[in-house]
Amino acid sequence: MGGLFISFEGIDGAGKSTHIEGLAQAFRAQGRAVTLTREPGGTALAEKLRIMVLNDAMDAMTEALLVFAARRDHLQQRIEPALARGDVVLCDRFTDATFAYQGGGRGFDLQMLLILEQWVQTVQELGADFIRQPDLTVWFDLPAEIAAQRLTGARVPDKFEAQPLEFFRRVSDGYLNRMLACPSRFARIDADNTRDAVWRDVLQAVQARGWLA
Ligand code: TMP
């Protein structure tokens, strides 16, 4: 069976984690090998870059370059080999997060992000170049106000979690614009719902594509 690449997106507090774990179990129960990973991160180098991106003050371009540098290493060392083996790759955030956080949240130039996306995600398969994108992106859509309530007191906030409500509204708009640019890649999940209802919708999005029974 061919590899499958699914990314998971949403503003901080949208509640992705338990569902990513649940999907990993569902795929494994059907005999698929699963690579569970995240961005920024997923390799030793990218995890070092993650610590800088989440903690150190820097301008938006530096942030964008670091997340794309982490992504390049992640793609080459981890994602592409896993897809070549036929794994299901479940990735907690990918490039849509850069468009949402650095583009929407920080207001960084979207044209420059598109160029970086093309450079960094160009990979070779059977001698031909193409731009790697997730086969499916599950977007946990949650109003910024509700996400902020959920995060209150949950843990010490990192640099992004400490941003004001207005930042997360722009991040949400960033996700929406990415979905509108490529609707067939996205499953938009209403994350303002019970955990069971959200899980049902996540499962349904994957089943509808024929990837899980
Ligand atoms: P998380 O793994 O806990 O969701 O945190 C990662 C944080 O990094 C989250 O606040 C979103 C942010 N981020 C970016 O700003 N740009 C990116 O490209 C990625 C992948 C994440």
Side-chain angles (χ1 to χ4, degrees):
M1 226 178 280
L4 203 55
F5 182 20
I6 305 178
S7 65
F8 301 84
E9 299 284 358
I11 58 177
D12 295 270
K16 302 174 262 110
S17 310
T18 51
H19 301 297
I20 299 174
E21 192 55 56
L23 263 191
Q25 283 175 22
F27 274 112
R28 286 182 183 127
Q30 296 195 8
R32 297 290 305 251
V34 174
T35 291
L36 208 52
T37 188
R38 68 171 179 182
E39 290 214 344
T43 66
L45 173 61
E47 290 291 333
K48 288 186 202 166
L49 294 171
R50 176 190 176 90
I51 293 170
M52 295 179 202
V53 169
L54 264 55
N55 296 291
D56 296 348
M58 61 187 73
D59 81 331
M61 187 190 291
T62 310
E63 219 169 73
L65 292 170
L66 288 183
V67 292
F68 270 115
R71 183 160 302 132
R72 179 71 184 173
D73 192 58
H74 190 208
L75 268 172
Q76 292 214 307
Q77 305 298 328
R78 192 100 193 268
I79 295 176
E80 291 303 324
L83 293 174
R85 284 195 304 268
D87 280 18
V88 177
V89 175
L90 302 180
C91 192
D92 188 346
R93 300 189 185 282
F94 196 63
T95 305
D96 298 309
T98 314
F99 280 83
Y101 280 78
Q102 281 66 51
R106 298 247 190 260
F108 185 67
D109 185 349
L110 297 178
Q111 290 306 316
M112 186 131 19
L113 293 182
L114 284 169
I115 292 168
L116 288 167
E117 177 183 40
Q118 285 181 15
W119 278 26
V120 166
Q121 289 164 229
T122 294
V123 295
Q124 268 210 340
E125 209 169 63
L126 304 173
D129 280 354
F130 72 101
I131 299 173
R132 173 67 72 195
Q133 295 289 4
D135 299 299
L136 169 68
T137 296
V138 182
W139 173 29
F140 293 82
D141 186 19
L142 186 70
E145 295 76 8
I146 296 172
Q149 283 167 18
R150 286 190 187 173
L151 280 178
T152 305
R155 54 180 166 168
V156 180
D158 65 34
K159 200 175 84 183
F160 293 104
E161 291 163 349
Q163 291 293 319
L165 211 54
E166 193 44 48
F167 178 87
F168 287 105
R169 291 203 184 100
R170 293 196 302 272
V171 172
S172 274
D173 286 347
Y175 278 127
L176 178 64
N177 289 332
R178 282 289 277 184
M179 187 185 77
L180 294 175
C182 192
S184 60
R185 177 165 64 82
F186 276 82
R188 182 184 191 169
I189 305 287
D190 178 6
D192 184 13
N193 225 328
T194 63
R195 185 177 289 194
D196 284 352
V198 173
W199 170 243
R200 200 186 50 225
D201 290 347
V202 170
L203 204 54
Q204 206 266 329
V206 178
Q207 286 169 335
R209 285 160 176 83
W211 297 332
L212 273 176

